[in-house]
Amino acid sequence: MAVVNLNNVQKYYPASGIKAVTDFNMEIKDGEFVALVGPSGCGKSTTLRMVAGLEDITEGEVKIDGKVVNNLAPKNRDIAMVFQSYALYPHMTVYDNMAFGLKLRRYSKEEIRKRVYEAADILGIRELVDRRPKQLSGGQRQRVAVGRAIVRQPKVFLFDEPLSNLDAKMRVQMRVEISQLHSRLQTTMIYVTHDQVEAMTMGDRIVVMRDGFIQQIDSPTQLYDFPANKYVASFIGTPPMNFFEGRIEAEGESMEFKSESFTVSIPAHWQDDLREYTGKAITFGIRPEDLRLKGGEGSTGDAPLIPAKIDLVEPMGSETYLYLTTGETSFIARVESHTKCKIDDQLELEVDMNKAHFFNQETEEAVSIQQRNQ
Ligand code: ADP
């Protein structure tokens, strides 16, 4: 169990001139599950590998349990890492794969046996211990890789895209198993993934990264409800948030957002934050589930409306995605499953303005996120 601190951590690759990680600052609490998420190349793995000791830290410091580990070899950091590739020894049995690290550390035979069988029981792979990796499915191999980490009883588990090689169904199952493992072991875990659903379902807190910079660190619900900027807003959530360009206009008590094709009135609680944008360009964001068909399920009849034409209807079973256009802007609405809507229909969508987001068009920062947090 350990606290992990990253203080002003930076990583340059001088040969290529790439700055992979800039100013990474975070305290990961004892027993916390933190997911690092972002598109390929955003610096997640490099950050994790610096914690592991597999990459030099160019600047800043990494502490594990209060101790600076910058110059400590990986084997002395009391961490265990699970990779996407599993990295199992093909000629060894499952038992020997799991026991290998302990043998190197000269644990007694009995201790090794106890730990390997304990881990095998936790992961439900006891009956597989005599097999070799090629006799296992992808999911079973990944369990062995996790088992090999568990037997070490490390202070911190590091996972680098551990589920990327599995099929969709197995990924969901292993996601649940790793979460259950975390509840059971209560060990600090840092988990790298490009998959926002994985991050959202597993992480106590999520770090969203872009081009080596942290964009936001928050709980899954806070990230979803109060994204700090347009990038986070569009990265978290499927289908992604819709954005409309327009301007704020105010007259007396009333304030409106006007786009090329529609006008919505701004609720009173937003008006103080938006006043400085009066007459200026702004981006309005609304998630697909915060739009409703006028007259459909949940329709209130008094919400502001967006007129639109349907480009595509995508039935998902439990709900339907409507791909729409208003003016020149494309957007998506998630509506009830048994809608009779069809391509080329003209219709109106009600906007739940309590769920509206506004972003500064130049900086792309969310407008007054603190106010909404209250
Ligand atoms: P992610 O894990 O988010 O996909 P990485 O941390 O692997 O991203 O990479 C971050 C950036 O650093 C990328 O631009 C990548 O090309 C670069 N990079 C990673 N490893 C090296 C390396 N050994 N040498 C040079 N550049 C690297």
Side-chain angles (χ1 to χ4, degrees), residues 293 308-313 321-325 339-347:
L293 286 171
K309 180 175 88 60
I310 299 183
D311 299 324
L312 184 71
V313 178
Y321 296 168
L322 300 180
Y323 291 77
L324 305 144
T325 306
T339 171
K340 297 200 167 54
C341 296
K342 52 188 194 311
I343 291 180
D344 286 337
D345 280 358
Q346 298 279 346
L347 74 176

Coordinates of all heavy atoms in Angstrom, one line a residue, residues 293 308-313 321-325 339-347:
L293 N -36.9 14.4 -28.2 CA -37.8 14.7 -29.3 C -39.0 15.5 -28.7 O -39.6 15.1 -27.7 CB -38.4 13.4 -29.8 CG -37.4 12.5 -30.7 CD1 -38.0 11.2 -31.0 CD2 -37.1 13.3 -32.0
A308 N -34.2 20.6 -36.8 CA -33.2 19.7 -37.4 C -33.7 18.8 -38.5 O -35.0 18.6 -38.5 CB -32.5 18.9 -36.3
K309 N -32.8 18.3 -39.3 CA -33.2 17.3 -40.3 C -32.5 16.0 -40.0 O -31.3 16.1 -39.5 CB -32.8 17.8 -41.7 CG -33.1 16.9 -42.8 CD -32.8 17.5 -44.2 CE -31.4 17.3 -44.6 NZ -31.0 15.9 -44.8
I310 N -33.1 14.9 -40.1 CA -32.5 13.6 -39.8 C -31.6 13.1 -41.0 O -32.1 13.0 -42.1 CB -33.5 12.5 -39.4 CG1 -34.3 13.0 -38.2 CG2 -32.8 11.2 -39.2 CD1 -35.3 12.0 -37.7
D311 N -30.4 12.8 -40.7 CA -29.5 12.3 -41.7 C -29.4 10.8 -41.7 O -29.1 10.1 -42.6 CB -28.0 12.8 -41.6 CG -28.0 14.4 -41.7 OD1 -28.8 14.9 -42.6 OD2 -27.3 15.0 -41.0
L312 N -29.5 10.3 -40.4 CA -29.4 8.8 -40.2 C -30.0 8.4 -38.9 O -30.0 9.2 -38.0 CB -27.9 8.5 -40.1 CG -27.5 7.0 -40.0 CD1 -27.7 6.3 -41.3 CD2 -26.0 6.9 -39.6
V313 N -30.7 7.2 -39.0 CA -31.3 6.7 -37.7 C -30.5 5.4 -37.4 O -30.4 4.5 -38.2 CB -32.8 6.4 -37.9 CG1 -33.4 5.8 -36.7 CG2 -33.6 7.7 -38.4
Y321 N -29.9 6.3 -31.8 CA -29.2 7.5 -32.1 C -29.7 8.2 -33.4 O -29.8 7.5 -34.4 CB -27.7 7.2 -32.3 CG -26.9 6.6 -31.2 CD1 -25.7 6.0 -31.3 CD2 -27.5 6.6 -29.9 CE1 -25.0 5.5 -30.3 CE2 -26.8 6.0 -28.8 CZ -25.6 5.5 -29.0 OH -24.9 4.9 -28.0
L322 N -30.0 9.5 -33.3 CA -30.4 10.2 -34.5 C -29.2 11.1 -34.9 O -28.7 11.9 -34.0 CB -31.6 11.1 -34.2 CG -32.9 10.4 -33.7 CD1 -34.0 11.5 -33.5 CD2 -33.3 9.4 -34.8
Y323 N -28.8 11.0 -36.1 CA -27.7 11.9 -36.6 C -28.4 13.0 -37.4 O -29.2 12.7 -38.3 CB -26.8 11.1 -37.6 CG -25.9 10.1 -36.8 CD1 -26.5 8.9 -36.4 CD2 -24.6 10.4 -36.5 CE1 -25.7 8.0 -35.7 CE2 -23.9 9.4 -35.7 CZ -24.4 8.3 -35.3 OH -23.7 7.4 -34.6
L324 N -28.2 14.2 -37.0 CA -29.0 15.3 -37.4 C -28.2 16.5 -37.9 O -26.9 16.5 -37.7 CB -29.8 15.9 -36.2 CG -30.6 14.8 -35.4 CD1 -30.6 15.1 -34.0 CD2 -32.1 14.8 -36.0
T325 N -28.8 17.4 -38.7 CA -28.2 18.6 -39.1 C -29.1 19.8 -38.8 O -30.3 19.7 -39.0 CB -27.9 18.6 -40.6 OG1 -27.2 17.4 -40.9 CG2 -27.1 19.8 -41.0
T339 N -38.8 5.0 -31.6 CA -39.1 6.2 -32.3 C -39.5 5.9 -33.7 O -38.9 4.9 -34.3 CB -38.0 7.2 -32.2 OG1 -38.3 8.3 -33.1 CG2 -36.7 6.7 -32.7
K340 N -40.4 6.6 -34.3 CA -40.8 6.4 -35.7 C -40.0 7.3 -36.7 O -40.4 7.3 -37.8 CB -42.3 6.6 -35.8 CG -43.1 5.6 -35.0 CD -44.6 5.5 -35.5 CE -45.3 4.3 -34.8 NZ -45.3 4.4 -33.4
C341 N -39.0 8.0 -36.1 CA -38.3 8.9 -37.0 C -37.6 8.2 -38.1 O -37.2 7.0 -38.0 CB -37.2 9.6 -36.2 SG -37.8 10.6 -34.8
K342 N -37.5 8.9 -39.3 CA -36.8 8.3 -40.4 C -36.0 9.4 -41.1 O -36.2 10.6 -40.9 CB -37.8 7.6 -41.4 CG -38.9 8.4 -41.8 CD -39.9 7.6 -42.6 CE -40.9 8.4 -43.3 NZ -41.6 9.5 -42.5
I343 N -35.1 8.9 -42.0 CA -34.2 9.9 -42.7 C -35.0 10.9 -43.4 O -36.1 10.7 -44.0 CB -33.4 9.1 -43.7 CG1 -32.4 8.2 -43.0 CG2 -32.6 10.0 -44.7 CD1 -31.5 7.4 -43.8
D344 N -34.5 12.2 -43.4 CA -35.0 13.3 -44.1 C -36.2 14.0 -43.3 O -36.7 15.0 -43.8 CB -35.4 13.1 -45.5 CG -34.2 12.9 -46.4 OD1 -33.2 13.5 -46.0 OD2 -34.3 12.3 -47.5
D345 N -36.7 13.4 -42.2 CA -37.7 14.0 -41.4 C -37.2 15.3 -40.9 O -36.0 15.4 -40.6 CB -38.1 13.2 -40.2 CG -39.0 12.0 -40.6 OD1 -39.4 11.9 -41.7 OD2 -39.4 11.2 -39.6
Q346 N -38.1 16.3 -40.9 CA -37.7 17.6 -40.2 C -38.4 17.5 -38.8 O -39.5 17.0 -38.7 CB -38.4 18.8 -40.9 CG -37.9 19.0 -42.4 CD -36.6 19.7 -42.4 OE1 -36.1 20.3 -41.5 NE2 -35.9 19.6 -43.6
L347 N -37.6 17.9 -37.8 CA -38.2 17.8 -36.5 C -37.6 18.8 -35.5 O -36.7 19.6 -36.0 CB -38.1 16.4 -35.9 CG -36.7 15.9 -35.4 CD1 -36.9 14.5 -34.8 CD2 -35.7 15.8 -36.5

